[in-house]
Amino acid sequence: MSALQDSLPHARTRYGKQVTESIQQTRVRYVVLCVAAIATPFIYPPTWPLVLLALASYAIRMFGVEGIYHRYFSHRAFRCSRPVQFILAVIASQCGQHGPLWWASVHRHHHQNVERPDDPISPRQHGLFHSHVGWVWCERYKDTDLDRVPDFARYPEILWVNKHYTLLMLAGAALIWGLAETGAFGSSVTGGAALMWGFFLPTALGVQTVSLVNSVGHFRFLPGGYRRFDTDDDSVNRPLLALFTFGGGWHNNHHRYGASARAGFAWYEIDITYYILRLLAALGIIHDLRDRLPDDVIEEGRLGGMLGARRIGR
Ligand SMILES: [Zn+2]
Ligand SMILES: [Zn+2]
């Protein structure tokens, strides 16, 4: 049994599926995000305030998907209070990749069926294009399988976020527009420019970089990465991808020990999400950070003396 399965409570209640949107809505959102992102620098040429706005917005979205959707809702790598859990879910809903329960349910399905025919994002089984984007467009995966996330499906407020994440994302876009109109980003940044550089561009970039973890992060034949662990799957550690995905690119480490709050195991494997989680733990916002690697993982990965950051949690 995997570490992921070990960490899940036994489900006694059947929750069924939650319908959040039609597959047409998914496809339209995907295309609109891509087209708008490509058009952004042509409509509003880059300026320093716009670039900084884009970077800040990208950082929030990327931590949302990697730190909150992935390490918290999918793998329960730390604990937090119910109000904090709700706030984290709302922040992460800005990432443009469905709601927290949809993301976690599909991701747990991936871990439990990795590289088998039922794994939706396996390049070995379905090819690179399907693992990058094709599966998102499939009718089969559009609804949220709540029985894969019984530990969170019991919270009505999280079910609400999962169903209405598009509304929350649009509210976030309206907030960016409104802040720009009040001069919050400087007098040179209009509401329209802020919307393009602070919403469409970083959201679309985040969708693509996370999709790369699914595709090239599971494609060992492409150079630019290494496998620290000889896992049964094709997962690869990719340093450049790990930088852009705030640690998500340490995918071979993650498939060896996915329950960990840290995905960069060696000190030189930069893991921005882990650093942010440590800060949140130090501030008392989250607790029980699960960042102690088991001895067999340390030995197998030849990590003795290379762990770097002092481990603080479970
Ligand atoms: Zn994977
Ligand atoms: Zn995972």
Side-chain angles (χ1 to χ4, degrees):
M1 183 176 279
S2 71
L4 169 69
Q5 287 167 314
D6 271 344
S7 70
L8 295 180
H10 290 292
R12 296 186 185 280
T13 308
R14 296 289 295 174
Y15 291 96
K17 297 209 170 180
Q18 185 186 42
V19 179
T20 58
E21 65 182 19
S22 69
I23 196 67
Q24 284 76 18
Q25 280 175 275
T26 307
R27 293 170 182 170
V28 167
R29 183 180 59 247
Y30 194 97
V31 171
V32 167
L33 279 174
C34 289
V35 171
I38 292 167
T40 294
F42 299 102
I43 301 173
Y44 297 102
T47 62
W48 278 115
L50 289 175
V51 171
L52 291 175
L53 175 62
L55 286 174
S57 179
Y58 179 86
I60 291 169
R61 284 153 218 276
M62 189 49 64
F63 176 72
V65 70
E66 180 60 27
I68 301 172
Y69 276 8
H70 190 199
R71 300 193 199 183
Y72 181 65
F73 281 103
S74 303
H75 293 288
R76 304 168 57 94
F78 58 88
R79 291 185 182 143
C80 59
S81 68
R82 194 164 166 178
V84 168
Q85 175 180 274
F86 175 70
I87 292 167
L88 291 179
V90 171
I91 291 171
S93 70
Q94 304 300 306
C95 72
Q97 298 172 41
H98 292 70
L101 300 184
W102 179 88
W103 208 101
S105 65
V106 171
H107 189 72
R108 288 177 180 182
H109 181 77
H110 164 60
H111 274 274
Q112 288 159 357
N113 298 279
V114 65
E115 311 293 11
R116 295 204 286 267
D118 207 30
D119 178 4
I121 48 182
S122 166
R124 187 197 294 183
Q125 292 289 342
H126 310 294
L128 270 179
F129 180 78
H130 183 87
S131 66
H132 188 80
V133 58
W135 72 276
V136 183
W137 290 43
C138 285
E139 189 84 34
R140 180 178 173 189
Y141 301 107
K142 80 175 178 57
D143 300 333
T144 303
D145 186 353
L146 297 175
D147 291 318
R148 288 197 181 275
V149 281
D151 40 339
F152 292 111
R154 63 198 174 96
Y155 296 110
E157 70 274 19
I158 300 300
L159 282 170
W160 185 86
V161 172
N162 195 59
K163 187 162 181 63
H164 299 289
Y165 74 93
T166 302
L167 193 69
L168 291 165
M169 200 173 69
L170 292 176
L175 179 66
I176 290 170
W177 180 84
L179 285 171
E181 288 294 306
T182 58
F185 305 130
S187 56
S188 65
V189 178
T190 64
L195 208 53
M196 298 302 276
W197 280 87
F199 175 72
F200 285 108
L201 183 63
T203 306
L205 280 176
V207 169
Q208 293 304 319
T209 50
V210 169
S211 295
L212 283 171
V213 175
N214 296 335
S215 54
V216 301
H218 270 278
F219 193 66
R220 61 168 86 184
F221 308 107
L222 190 76
Y226 59 91
R227 281 169 54 81
R228 179 180 296 286
F229 300 97
D230 186 22
T231 53
D232 290 338
D233 53 68
D234 291 328
S235 58
V236 183
N237 286 337
R238 295 194 176 279
L240 192 60
L241 188 59
L243 200 59
F244 288 120
T245 56
F246 284 18
W250 302 120
H251 209 52
N252 177 245
N253 289 353
H254 178 64
H255 269 283
R256 176 59 184 86
Y257 191 65
S260 176
R262 62 187 295 181
F265 290 172
W267 63 266
Y268 54 82
E269 292 175 336
I270 295 169
D271 183 357
I272 295 172
T273 292
Y274 176 52
Y275 309 147
I276 296 172
L277 291 178
R278 282 184 60 120
L279 177 65
L280 294 179
L283 293 172
I285 296 169
I286 64 172
H287 55 91
D288 287 353
L289 202 59
R290 187 191 287 176
D291 62 351
R292 293 184 186 277
L293 298 180
D295 290 342
D296 59 329
V297 173
I298 293 172
E299 189 179 335
E300 196 180 318
R302 292 187 287 276
L303 287 158
M306 289 204 296
L307 291 172
R310 186 174 60 87
R311 292 167 288 160
I312 59 172
R314 289 180 280 161

